[in-house]
């Protein structure tokens, strides 16, 4: 659980279209995580097929692919202690109806097909997803001045 652990969090097209970007970014900043990469992108079909490789042959994939290509996605990389697991907790359960109030999905989503965000589910998947969405030079290594007030 290094303080340098990184995760990939994406605000999906519904989150961008609904004007939730600043609220979602604020949840991670308020918690004390450091933003090291951010960009607004409209993903290609190939990128999404790589990102969701385990779902490509599933019946729901064409509909999900169309939705994910329907508008811009805010791709972000966050850094901090246990950020992958904590990021998933901030997002809430994949199915918003199972998400607790106070989580992003619990507060802003109802249907699983419009669940506002994606978050890496392991350090390995985070590293893979970050490499798909960001070039190394697009990630910033910088010192968070608040770090001494967040970590012991």
């Amino acid at each position: 659980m290094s303080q340098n652990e990184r995760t990939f969090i994406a605000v999906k097209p519904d989150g961008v279209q609904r004007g939730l970007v600043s609220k979602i970014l604020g949840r991670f900043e308020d918690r004390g995580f450091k933003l090291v990469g951010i960009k607004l992108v409209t993903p290609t079909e190939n990128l999404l097929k790589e990102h969701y490789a385990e779902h490509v042959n599933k019946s729901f994939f064409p509909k999900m692919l169309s939705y994910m290509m329907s508008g811009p996605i805010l791709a972000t990389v966050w850094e901090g202690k246990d950020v992958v697991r904590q990021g998933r907790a901030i997002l809430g359960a994949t199915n918003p109806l199972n998400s607790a109030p106070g989580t992003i999905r619990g507060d802003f989503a109802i249907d699983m097909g419009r669940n506002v965000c994606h978050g890496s589910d392991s350090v390995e998947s985070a590293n893979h997803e970050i490499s798909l969405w960001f070039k190394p030079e697009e990630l910033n290594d910088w010192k968070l001045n608040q770090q001494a007030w967040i970590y012991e």
Side-chain angles (χ1 to χ4, degrees), residues 116-136:
V116 182
C117 288
H118 165 84
S120 300
D121 62 7
S122 69
V123 172
E124 296 75 25
S125 67
N127 292 335
H128 175 69
E129 292 169 357
I130 291 166
S131 72
L132 285 176
W133 291 82
F134 288 87
K135 298 174 188 158

Side-chain angles (χ1 to χ4, degrees), residues 51-126:
H51 181 92
Y52 290 111
E54 71 275 14
H55 300 306
V56 169
N57 295 319
K58 295 183 179 164
S59 61
F60 65 83
F61 186 75
K63 186 175 177 182
M64 183 175 75
L65 181 67
S66 175
Y67 152 66
M68 290 295 286
M69 292 176 64
S70 68
I73 291 173
L74 187 74
T76 66
V77 179
W78 294 89
E79 186 176 284
K81 185 176 183 180
D82 199 30
V83 71
V84 172
R85 190 170 64 85
Q86 297 302 317
R88 299 280 294 184
I90 290 167
L91 294 181
T94 302
N95 183 341
L97 294 178
N98 297 328
S99 292
T103 64
I104 290 168
R105 292 176 178 143
D107 290 349
F108 302 123
I110 295 171
D111 279 341
M112 195 152 89
R114 298 290 182 270
N115 68 0
V116 182
C117 288
H118 165 84
S120 300
D121 62 7
S122 69
V123 172
E124 296 75 25
S125 67

